[in-house]
Amino acid sequence: MANGFVLTKTLRVEWPVKVRVPLDGGRVTEQTFTAVFQVQRDSDVKKLEFATLDVGLLQEALVGAKGIKTPEGEDVEWDEEVKETLIELPHTRLALVAAYNEASAGRRAKN
């Protein structure tokens, strides 16, 4: 039996996020975690203010994350404070937006 397209009104996906973390001397290190996105409808995205589009989109779409550690190596439990921290830091916000765009467009995650 061939797989057919399944049309759903909502879509939740786990997607890899690659964050380029800035280091002293102009260097960066790449770190990864998995975001859980609730893919937003275009009509909902269009309602967001352009100046805060990325923040507003992530506040709605980012519904979880896995694989985040503290500096001591402990697992970070998902909560609203973690979500806000990820959105407020430019390097994680940019990585999350890139991952969301891949996931919502159905593009294969880059290795």
Side-chain angles (χ1 to χ4, degrees):
M1 184 167 104
N3 290 335
F5 172 71
V6 178
L7 179 62
T8 62
K9 291 187 177 189
T10 62
L11 178 62
R12 182 178 286 217
V13 295
E14 293 184 9
W15 208 263
V17 179
K18 295 180 182 178
V19 181
R20 295 175 47 95
V21 180
L23 301 173
D24 290 339
R27 297 176 296 125
V28 296
T29 182
E30 189 172 278
Q31 299 174 2
T32 62
F33 68 95
T34 301
V36 181
F37 292 117
Q38 181 72 41
V39 177
Q40 303 296 295
R41 293 170 160 244
D42 282 347
S43 58
D44 293 330
V45 173
K46 288 177 184 174
K47 295 175 188 174
L48 299 172
E49 295 287 330
F50 182 76
T52 59
L53 179 62
D54 291 349
V55 171
L57 176 64
L58 291 174
Q59 286 173 334
E60 295 297 321
L62 184 60
V63 295
K66 301 175 181 179
I68 300 176
K69 304 278 186 187
T70 67
E72 295 77 28
E74 300 292 321
D75 289 335
V76 172
E77 292 295 321
W78 179 255
D79 63 18
E80 286 300 310
E81 184 178 351
V82 171
K83 178 179 181 174
E84 290 305 315
T85 301
L86 290 171
I87 293 171
E88 288 178 0
L89 295 170
H91 59 284
T92 55
R93 183 178 59 251
L94 292 172
L96 283 163
V97 169
Y100 176 83
N101 287 334
E102 286 178 352
S104 65
R107 291 192 300 258
R108 186 178 302 255
K110 297 177 184 175
N111 291 334

